[in-house]
Amino acid sequence: MVAIDVNEQSRPSGTWVSKLTGATGPLVGLLLLCLFLTFSADAFLSVRNGLNILDQITVLGIMAVGMTFVILIGGIDLSVGSVLALAMMVMGWTANVAGLPLAVGIVLALIASMISGLIVGIMVTWFRVPAFIATLAMMSAARGVANMITDGQQIVGFPDWFMMLAIDRHFGVLTATVFLMLAVAAAAWVFLHFRAEGRMLYAVGGNSEVARLAGINVQLVTVLVYVVSALLAGLAGIVLAARLDSAQPSSGFGYELDTIAAVVIGGTSLSGGAGGIGGTLIGVLIIGVLRNGLNLLNVSPFLQQVIIGVVIVLAVGAETIRKRRAA
């Protein structure tokens, strides 16, 4: 047995300011982006627009927390968009077709999401299927099941209280869905920085073999991380259903790319072992502000995709340069 202090090796270093872990660059980028849009778009710097941006990033923000966990252990999850759609359809069918209470539909939707993550985790750990292939397979399977539930038809109409979760601004400021995103992010931040289980993710991502020798059950950690990622994708699907007042099997197309982009832009290393929730939130805000600003500037949606792609490349390039300098 190799004597290694996992708590010490995997603990995010630095003061409370540095707990953003590599997010200084993205934060500066976000501030510069906001400064540019302030002078370029008259409607950008307003309370109403700021609240709209928060509403628009709730789905991405919740999914990005789960993706942060996955990428921290050196994995990847391409299935989150399809799992989101699956959760929406399970909830919608249960409540609007089967006639059960919506609360039961929400619980079943989250269970279906967790089962999807469990299957992926088992494929990655027990059957040694590469995470890229396992999640790609689940992306196709979950999307297929989502379409099969209603033969590709959308489900429209939920109780008023459910729709109001994404509309009613408590204290005149934030909706319940935004509060939910912030609560998920805060819980994840506390978990990563103040719980030994959270620091295990950094250890597994840094070197899984060393983590195993240190006594960490790497397989169990990996499975649970994929379950949590799928669970949060399902939760994001419920939030999206509240915003749209409908459940659509086509929902979530391309969301996995935006989610990965937000995490990478926020400074989490694709090779695992470095990053954090603070940086991910900044990455989510960058994508949200960028999309919002480009819409205000009447930029073509197709050009927006190109611009976001360039931003992702720059973020990954900056990470590579930082690693070379550190070495």
Side-chain angles (χ1 to χ4, degrees):
M1 179 68 70
V2 179
I4 299 173
D5 187 347
V6 176
N7 287 343
E8 204 56 42
Q9 290 289 332
S10 59
R11 186 190 304 273
S13 60
T15 63
W16 68 271
V17 175
S18 65
K19 285 186 185 294
L20 288 176
T21 313
T24 304
L27 179 59
V28 172
L30 175 62
L31 295 176
L32 291 176
L33 177 61
C34 291
L35 183 63
F36 169 76
L37 291 174
T38 297
F39 291 101
S40 302
D42 294 335
F44 176 77
L45 193 62
S46 66
V47 174
R48 180 177 180 181
N49 189 57
L51 294 178
N52 285 337
I53 291 175
L54 287 178
D55 290 336
Q56 291 163 4
I57 65 172
T58 50
V59 173
L60 178 60
I62 292 172
M63 294 173 69
V65 170
M67 188 65 74
T68 302
F69 288 170
V70 172
I71 295 180
L72 275 177
I73 65 170
I76 198 74
D77 192 347
L78 301 178
S79 67
V80 289
S82 296
V83 172
L84 175 148
L86 175 62
M88 290 179 71
M89 299 311 297
V90 169
M91 181 191 70
W93 184 88
T94 302
N96 287 28
V97 179
L100 296 176
L102 182 58
V104 175
I106 292 174
V107 172
L108 292 178
L110 296 178
I111 291 174
S113 301
M114 294 172 67
I115 292 174
S116 301
L118 179 62
I119 293 172
V120 169
I122 290 174
M123 285 194 293
V124 171
T125 55
W126 291 6
F127 296 99
R128 304 293 182 182
V129 178
F132 181 89
I133 301 300
T135 57
L136 187 65
M138 181 54 67
M139 179 177 71
S140 178
R143 182 70 63 182
V145 174
N147 279 280
M148 288 170 59
I149 289 174
T150 59
D151 197 23
Q153 301 299 312
Q154 67 174 346
I155 298 174
V156 180
F158 292 105
D160 290 341
W161 68 264
F162 181 67
M163 186 175 59
M164 293 305 294
L165 294 175
I167 296 177
D168 189 21
R169 297 191 182 279
H170 298 276
F171 310 108
V173 183
L174 301 180
T175 62
T177 52
V178 173
F179 276 119
L180 176 61
M181 177 192 70
L182 296 176
V184 168
W189 188 86
V190 170
F191 173 75
L192 287 179
H193 290 283
F194 297 103
R195 296 290 300 176
E197 295 84 354
R199 294 193 290 273
M200 286 180 185
L201 303 191
Y202 289 94
V204 172
N207 191 315
S208 60
E209 181 60 19
V210 172
R212 185 186 67 82
L213 294 174
I216 295 175
N217 189 332
V218 175
Q219 286 192 335
L220 179 61
V221 169
T222 301
V223 170
L224 291 178
V225 163
Y226 279 104
V227 169
V228 170
S229 177
L231 171 65
L232 292 179
L235 183 61
I238 293 168
V239 170
L240 183 59
R243 292 193 61 200
L244 300 177
D245 192 29
S246 66
Q248 304 172 10
S250 60
S251 296
F253 270 119
Y255 278 31
E256 56 279 339
L257 301 181
D258 281 353
T259 306
I260 294 171
V263 176
V264 173
I265 290 172
T268 298
S269 173
L270 281 171
S271 58
I277 298 300
T280 293
L281 287 181
I282 294 174
V284 169
L285 282 171
I286 287 176
I287 290 182
V289 168
L290 188 59
R291 288 194 185 280
N292 176 266
L294 293 175
N295 286 331
L296 292 177
L297 294 174
N298 296 317
V299 176
S300 164
F302 307 114
L303 181 56
Q304 290 186 28
Q305 294 176 353
V306 174
I307 293 174
I308 291 177
V310 171
V311 171
I312 295 172
V313 171
L314 292 175
V316 175
E319 177 195 345
T320 302
I321 293 173
R322 179 170 57 85
K323 282 186 175 181
R324 287 179 180 175
R325 289 181 176 178

